[in-house]
């Protein structure tokens, strides 16, 4: 009889645990979409950024991350952040990072209950009135985890409707599908700032519903998403941005040729041949390399300029993964 009572008690406990689900999402649940926290691991660099071995700009610099590249943030210590990029880790100034976030705000369709877990049998955390705004934290099947008035719990997804989605992401390139007006705010009735012609290549890293934040001719505003399409920026596009219309730019793919008067540069997949008599033009070539792979702009400019035949670095020198030396046919060679 005692054994029978023990078995019955165990069965009752198992039944209780299976009825009420724990308020925990499995990290393997593919249906879960989690809002950015205070320390979001996903970030991107807003400017070309040096990576150091320790939390000091006096420590060794191990690499430079090009502007706009996504990195994984591993830790934060005061004004420094430890990151991982292309399999390498190090420390960068936190001010150079931008969090990749997604915030979804929803309204309740009618008065509804917030539960402690994904079950109507769970404890009621609070009652949410109709037309109240909540922030979505996660989605699991037919339930949505939300924050309301500082409280967190679960609401049936059918009781919610989207109010707005706000998102920041690593810069993406788009092409204008038609002539478009840049608006001061993300509403059609907003002030018109400037007209953007069809075919213009733009970059955005922020979205509000179907509106994208972009800059054009010194103005920053919003364009509606139906007027843009994704575009993969080519090396020639980058060269045009860096060197401008004053230079003759030709080629495609990895093979880009840039010429102007006595200046000549040939960029291939992992090599640059350059010659010229103007250090500012060498700096533009260094900037092009930085846009593609990352480098210290000042050091790269100095090394290339002084690696010309007869220069102080004519025997060759290394800068990160770049080998810089003079060309026997004149000019400078940079290989990576």
């Amino acid at each position: 009889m005692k054994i029978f009572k023990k078995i019955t008690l165990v069965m009752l406990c198992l039944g209780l645990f299976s009825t009420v689900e724990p308020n925990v999402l499995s990290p393997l649940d593919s249906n879960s979409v989690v809002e950015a926290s205070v320390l979001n691991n996903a970030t991107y660099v807003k400017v070309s950024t040096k990576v150091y071995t320790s939390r000091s700009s006096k420590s060794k610099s191990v690499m430079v991350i090009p502007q706009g590249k996504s990195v994984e943030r591993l830790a934060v210590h005061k004004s420094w952040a430890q990151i991982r990029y292309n399999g390498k880790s190090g420390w960068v100034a936190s001010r150079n990072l931008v969090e990749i976030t997604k915030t979804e705000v929803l309204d309740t369709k009618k008065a509804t209950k917030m539960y402690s877990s994904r079950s109507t049998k769970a404890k009621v955390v609070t009652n949410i009135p109709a037309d109240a705004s909540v922030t979505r934290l996660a989605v699991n099947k037919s339930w949505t985890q939300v924050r309301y008035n500082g409280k967190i719990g679960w609401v049936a997804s059918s009781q919610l409707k989207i109010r707005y989605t706000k998102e920041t992401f690593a810069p993406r390139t788009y092409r204008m599908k038609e002539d478009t007006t840049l608006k001061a705010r993300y509403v059609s009735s907003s002030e018109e700032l400037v007209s953007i012609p069809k075919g213009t290549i733009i970059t955005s890293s922020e979205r509000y519903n179907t509106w994208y934040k972009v800059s054009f001719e010194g103005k920053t505003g919003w364009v509606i998403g139906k007027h843009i399409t994704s575009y993969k920026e080519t090396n020639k596009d980058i060269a045009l941005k860096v060197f401008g219309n004053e230079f003759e730019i030709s080629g495609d793919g990895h093979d880009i040729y840039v010429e102007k008067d006595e200046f000549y540069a040939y960029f291939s997949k992992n090599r640059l041949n350059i010659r010229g008599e103007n250090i500012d033009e060498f700096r533009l070539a260094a900037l092009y390399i930085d846009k593609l792979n990352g480098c210290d702009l000042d050091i790269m400019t100095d090394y290339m300029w002084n690696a010309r035949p007869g220069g102080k670095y004519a025997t060759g020198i290394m800068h990160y993964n770049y080998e810089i030396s003079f060309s026997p046919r004149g000019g400078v060679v940079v290989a990576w």
Side-chain angles (χ1 to χ4, degrees), residues 211-258:
W211 292 83
Y212 290 77
K213 191 175 185 179
V214 304
S215 295
F216 180 71
E217 292 186 346
K219 304 284 187 179
T220 299
W222 300 81
V223 295
I224 196 149
K226 66 180 181 181
H227 292 165
I228 64 176
T229 185
S230 295
Y231 178 81
K232 185 175 181 179
E233 194 170 40
T234 66
N235 288 353
K236 189 173 182 179
D237 292 327
I238 297 172
L240 286 167
K241 284 184 178 180
V242 171
F243 289 95
N245 296 326
E246 295 181 1
F247 292 79
E248 182 182 341
I249 300 172
S250 59
D252 54 24
H254 294 290
D255 298 320
I256 302 297
Y257 302 86
V258 182

Side-chain angles (χ1 to χ4, degrees), residues 171-289:
R172 301 170 189 167
T173 306
Y174 301 93
R175 181 177 58 82
M176 304 307 304
K177 293 162 54 176
E178 54 189 275
D179 292 347
T180 306
T181 301
L182 184 68
K183 299 282 190 175
R185 297 181 63 250
Y186 36 73
V187 290
S188 300
S189 59
S190 178
E191 176 190 357
E192 298 181 358
L193 300 178
V194 66
S195 179
I196 307 178
K198 177 182 178 180
T200 301
I201 307 303
I202 58 172
T203 301
S204 178
S205 59
E206 186 174 343
R207 175 177 73 91
Y208 184 94
N209 287 342
T210 59
W211 292 83
Y212 290 77
K213 191 175 185 179
V214 304
S215 295
F216 180 71
E217 292 186 346
K219 304 284 187 179
T220 299
W222 300 81
V223 295
I224 196 149
K226 66 180 181 181
H227 292 165
I228 64 176
T229 185
S230 295
Y231 178 81
K232 185 175 181 179
E233 194 170 40
T234 66
N235 288 353
K236 189 173 182 179
D237 292 327
I238 297 172
L240 286 167
K241 284 184 178 180
V242 171
F243 289 95
N245 296 326
E246 295 181 1
F247 292 79
E248 182 182 341
I249 300 172
S250 59
D252 54 24
H254 294 290
D255 298 320
I256 302 297
Y257 302 86
V258 182
E259 298 178 74
K260 179 187 175 184
D261 300 329
E262 301 300 317
F263 176 80
Y264 170 83
Y266 164 59
F267 299 90
S268 64
K269 184 175 181 180
N270 53 12
R271 190 181 182 90
L272 160 65
N273 291 78
I274 180 174
R275 63 174 181 266
E277 299 299 325
N278 186 326
I279 191 172
D280 292 332
E281 293 171 341
F282 273 65
R283 187 175 181 84
L284 290 176
L287 179 59
Y288 178 87
I289 293 174

Side-chain angles (χ1 to χ4, degrees), residues 46-62:
K46 62 182 179 182
V47 294
S48 183
T49 301
K50 288 184 181 181
V51 181
Y52 298 94
T53 54
S54 64
R55 300 187 303 274
S56 170
S57 57
K58 294 181 180 180
S59 65
K60 182 181 177 182
S61 175
V62 294

Side-chain angles (χ1 to χ4, degrees), residues 35-246:
E35 182 193 44
S37 63
V38 174
L39 179 57
N40 189 340
N41 290 341
T43 61
Y44 70 88
V45 294
K46 62 182 179 182
V47 294
S48 183
T49 301
K50 288 184 181 181
V51 181
Y52 298 94
T53 54
S54 64
R55 300 187 303 274
S56 170
S57 57
K58 294 181 180 180
S59 65
K60 182 181 177 182
S61 175
V62 294
M63 60 178 163
V64 174
I65 304 175
Q67 179 182 4
K69 295 296 183 180
S70 297
V71 300
E72 180 186 5
R73 182 164 52 185
L74 305 176
V76 172
H77 188 275
K78 295 182 179 179
S79 61
W80 290 87
Q82 187 183 39
I83 57 91
R84 180 185 291 120
Y85 175 72
N86 281 350
K88 296 181 179 180
S89 60
W91 292 87
V92 301
S94 295
R95 64 178 180 274
N96 291 342
L97 299 180
V98 179
E99 288 187 354
I100 294 174
T101 62
K102 184 176 182 180
T103 301
E104 294 178 291
V105 174
L106 306 98
D107 292 335
T108 51
K109 296 178 181 179
K110 60 181 182 179
T112 187
K113 296 182 185 297
M114 177 196 287
Y115 298 95
S116 60
S117 64
R118 304 186 306 275
S119 171
T120 55
K121 296 180 180 180
K123 178 184 176 181
V124 175
V125 177
T126 189
N127 292 304
I128 307 176
D131 298 320
S133 293
V134 300
T135 301
R136 173 150 54 197
L137 304 180
V139 176
N140 190 288
K141 297 179 180 178
S142 61
W143 289 87
T144 296
Q145 189 183 43
V146 301
R147 179 185 293 114
Y148 174 71
N149 279 353
K151 296 180 179 180
I152 295 176
W154 293 87
V155 174
S157 299
S158 60
Q159 303 303 313
L160 302 172
K161 57 184 178 182
I162 191 73
R163 174 183 283 262
Y164 70 83
T165 299
K166 185 177 181 180
E167 184 178 8
T168 61
F169 44 85
R172 301 170 189 167
T173 306
Y174 301 93
R175 181 177 58 82
M176 304 307 304
K177 293 162 54 176
E178 54 189 275
D179 292 347
T180 306
T181 301
L182 184 68
K183 299 282 190 175
R185 297 181 63 250
Y186 36 73
V187 290
S188 300
S189 59
S190 178
E191 176 190 357
E192 298 181 358
L193 300 178
V194 66
S195 179
I196 307 178
K198 177 182 178 180
T200 301
I201 307 303
I202 58 172
T203 301
S204 178
S205 59
E206 186 174 343
R207 175 177 73 91
Y208 184 94
N209 287 342
T210 59
W211 292 83
Y212 290 77
K213 191 175 185 179
V214 304
S215 295
F216 180 71
E217 292 186 346
K219 304 284 187 179
T220 299
W222 300 81
V223 295
I224 196 149
K226 66 180 181 181
H227 292 165
I228 64 176
T229 185
S230 295
Y231 178 81
K232 185 175 181 179
E233 194 170 40
T234 66
N235 288 353
K236 189 173 182 179
D237 292 327
I238 297 172
L240 286 167
K241 284 184 178 180
V242 171
F243 289 95
N245 296 326
E246 295 181 1

